[in-house]
Amino acid sequence: MPSPHLADLHDSDGPTLMTYLDWLRRRWWILALAALLGVGAGLLVTQLQTRTYTSTTSLLVRQLGPDANPTAKVNLDTEAQVVRSLVVAERARALIKTDIPAEDLVRTLTVTVPPNSQVLQVTYSAATPESAQAGSHSFAQAYLDLRLATATKALEGETTAIQQQIGEVQKQLATVAGRIAAAPANSAERARAEADRSVLTNQLATLNSRLSPLVTSSLNPGEIISDAPLPRKPSSPNQTLNLASGMGAGLLLGIVLALVIDRLDTRVRRSRDIAGRLGLPVLLELPARTPPRTVLPPAHQVSRELGRLRNVLLSTLPEPQPGRGRQLLLTGASGGPTAGFVAGNLAAAFARTGQQVAVVTTKANSPLAAMLGGVKARHTLADVLRRDVSALTALVPAPGLGQLRVLLPGDLDAEAELPVAGLLEVLAELAGRFDHVLIETAPPTVAVEAQALARHVDAVILVVESGRTRSSEITAALRQFEQVDAPVLGAVLAPRLADSGPGAAAESRPAAP
């Protein structure tokens, strides 16, 4: 039959933003707990990690040599590798005055080159601020000392080589001078000697011009432009990063865990859960904020929704036989009081049309008694089944609704199976007098009479409690009705209501096969 109010009609296309928000609302405690655990884990990791301090020295590297071009750039990538060399590490080790091997010192050293600069940044890590400061400064100073020593040695070697060449030329000039003195004037031998002297004199001048800048040059390998400061706080562990990472990992784990729990939780919460999982039409979904166990006034939203359901039922159900009213069976898929609440308010909706309505309940813990406003029943269904009174005599009028009568269960034996034949006689008697007879029973998986009566009524409506009824309970109830070919119209999804009494959770009648 067509559904009067399929609240999740759009949900059939897939989950919506509201679906996810509702899911987060239900499982927020898992996410909060996982986030707290993640923060705790991050804090624990921070406490267990060894504190490390870092300090950085910045070096300006210059060109070396007497012919150095002040605008030329040094290959700092190569120089960075020199800083990390074992030669520099040995020099730094001596400056630090430590017994740590040079290889271990290099492992705690980082050398970086800022873009578009002639600067080396030498960063050293250690267990104490003082060690970090001393290590960074010592490596920087050791690099400058090594660079200066290497350049000085090269300069001295070049100077010595030129000086040796000058000495040789001077010796040759002395020999040539002797030849000139011994040769006769205007002789060919004298002319050759004077030519040799001219060549040697030019060589000596060239060598002196090369030597002069070497002797007067000053070597500048570079300088420390920002010396290593004393660290004020450890660079590792990064508590903020650890806490943020722990919270992020905890939230991710919490989302996965909440999703798994939500998938394993088969409780029905939305109309889509019923229509999508089980293929059962949803006739109505009552709002979440529904007043518990009371007959609501006509202007209430729930009353208007049930009034629409009544209209659809009146237009959809086949016309009853002459002299016989329509009979509707309402039963919960789980054992809560919601089915009685729906039965009472749906009966009131029928009664407001001016037709005569009777409600019969076989549940000892039905909220219909409370919905009568404290009216005491002189006779009950138990008296009728014992044939002490007739069903019409045992009816109790509902306050404020003259067209509505209620037959309460009374002291029915919860351990015994109700006589179905007697119940059918009761229904037949009421159907001959009233336009509509609504029957509330316990779930068919609990009460045998639910299945037995279902095949004799005009329609069966299954009441599902949001957040309480599980998919397996709905499937089991539908299986019981299918076995007797009962006319199940669909389901009404209602919010979970508080149980009516101490025995509400334990319905112990024999179950249908």
Side-chain angles (χ1 to χ4, degrees):
M1 63 171 287
S3 298
H5 184 61
L6 290 179
D8 270 358
L9 181 60
H10 299 290
D11 288 347
S12 60
D13 296 334
T16 63
L17 176 60
M18 293 305 298
T19 302
Y20 289 112
L21 292 178
D22 183 59
W23 169 67
L24 289 176
R25 179 185 60 81
R26 295 196 310 270
R27 308 296 181 187
W28 68 268
W29 60 273
I30 297 180
L31 273 64
L33 180 60
L36 288 177
L37 291 176
V39 171
L43 186 60
L44 179 61
V45 169
T46 301
Q47 297 299 323
L48 294 178
Q49 284 182 323
T50 302
R51 282 177 169 75
T52 302
Y53 296 84
T54 59
S55 186
T56 301
T57 301
S58 297
L59 297 173
L60 176 62
V61 183
R62 302 181 186 276
Q63 284 280 3
L64 286 173
D67 300 328
N69 185 355
T71 62
K73 292 185 178 181
V74 182
N75 188 342
L76 293 186
D77 291 333
T78 301
E79 297 303 315
Q81 297 302 317
V82 174
V83 179
R84 291 181 53 83
S85 66
L86 291 179
V87 177
V88 174
E90 288 291 350
R91 286 175 172 264
R93 182 169 174 264
L95 293 175
I96 298 173
K97 298 179 181 180
T98 179
D99 296 331
I100 301 176
E103 295 83 353
D104 295 339
L105 293 178
V106 172
R107 292 191 186 97
T108 60
L109 182 71
T110 303
V111 183
T112 58
V113 180
N116 302 320
S117 72
Q118 289 290 288
V119 176
L120 290 178
Q121 292 182 333
V122 182
T123 303
Y124 186 82
S125 301
T128 63
E130 295 77 12
S131 299
Q133 182 186 37
S136 178
H137 175 82
S138 298
F139 266 93
Q141 190 61 55
Y143 163 72
L144 292 177
D145 293 346
L146 176 63
R147 197 161 189 263
L148 178 61
T150 302
T152 301
K153 185 178 180 180
L155 181 62
E156 290 176 350
E158 187 177 357
T159 302
T160 301
I162 294 176
Q163 287 175 344
Q164 289 176 353
Q165 294 178 23
I166 291 174
E168 292 293 331
V169 172
Q170 287 176 343
K171 288 180 182 181
Q172 293 178 15
L173 280 174
T175 302
V176 170
R179 287 170 52 198
I180 293 174
N186 298 324
S187 63
E189 183 178 355
R190 186 181 180 91
R192 286 193 296 270
E194 288 177 350
D196 291 339
R197 183 179 62 180
S198 177
V199 172
L200 292 173
T201 300
N202 290 335
Q203 290 181 357
L204 184 61
T206 301
L207 291 173
N208 283 327
S209 65
R210 291 172 57 192
L211 180 62
S212 178
L214 295 178
V215 174
T216 58
S217 67
S218 59
L219 299 177
N220 185 3
E223 59 184 317
I224 296 176
I225 58 176
S226 178
D227 205 354
L230 184 68
R232 296 183 178 180
K233 60 181 181 179
S235 58
S236 176
N238 189 331
Q239 180 171 329
T240 302
L241 179 61
N242 287 346
L243 294 181
S245 300
M247 175 179 289
L251 283 175
L252 181 60
L253 179 62
I255 291 174
V256 173
L257 182 60
L259 182 60
V260 171
I261 293 177
D262 193 71
R263 293 304 182 193
L264 295 177
D265 185 5
T266 61
R267 286 178 291 183
V268 172
R269 301 182 185 279
R270 301 169 295 274
S271 299
R272 182 169 55 86
D273 297 337
I274 303 174
R277 296 178 189 174
L278 306 171
L280 180 66
V282 179
L283 305 175
L284 174 68
E285 179 177 358
L286 295 181
R289 296 181 179 179
T290 298
R293 299 193 303 278
T294 181
V295 175
L296 302 175
H300 195 277
Q301 180 183 359
V302 173
S303 297
R304 292 198 299 268
E305 295 290 343
L306 288 170
R308 296 187 182 98
L309 176 59
R310 172 206 63 204
N311 296 339
V312 173
L313 293 176
L314 288 175
S315 63
T316 304
L317 292 177
E319 288 294 331
Q321 299 176 2
R324 178 182 179 274
R326 290 189 178 94
Q327 301 179 56
L328 296 177
L329 175 69
L330 289 92
T331 181
S334 53
T338 309
F341 170 81
V342 173
N345 281 277
L346 182 59
F350 276 110
R352 291 188 184 105
T353 64
Q355 296 178 310
Q356 299 296 317
V357 184
V359 182
V360 181
T361 176
T362 63
K363 290 182 62 176
N365 61 339
S366 175
L368 285 173
M371 295 171 68
L372 290 176
V375 176
K376 298 297 182 180
R378 182 176 180 183
H379 300 289
T380 63
L381 178 60
D383 299 326
V384 176
L385 293 177
R386 287 193 295 264
R387 303 189 183 278
D388 294 337
V389 294
S390 66
L392 295 175
T393 304
L395 291 174
V396 178
L401 285 172
Q403 293 82 13
L404 178 60
R405 300 289 189 273
V406 181
L407 180 57
L408 299 177
D411 57 346
L412 293 176
D413 188 354
E415 299 295 332
E417 177 181 349
L418 295 183
V420 176
L423 290 174
L424 291 176
E425 290 180 5
V426 171
L427 297 182
E429 182 179 355
L430 296 178
R433 172 63 177 79
F434 290 87
D435 300 306
H436 302 281
V437 179
L438 279 68
I439 310 102
E440 180 210 3
T441 69
T445 54
V446 174
V448 175
E449 69 270 11
Q451 183 189 44
L453 295 176
R455 62 190 297 264
H456 296 282
V457 297
D458 297 305
V460 176
I461 297 177
L462 195 64
V463 179
V464 178
E465 290 185 89
S466 175
R468 178 172 187 167
T469 305
R470 300 183 181 275
S471 299
S472 58
E473 293 176 316
I474 300 176
T475 303
L478 291 177
R479 186 181 300 115
Q480 298 292 333
F481 288 135
E482 288 174 359
Q483 290 176 347
V484 295
D485 197 22
V488 179
L489 292 183
V492 171
L493 180 62
R496 180 174 181 174
L497 303 179
D499 292 329
S500 300
E507 305 227 16
S508 56
R509 288 187 189 156

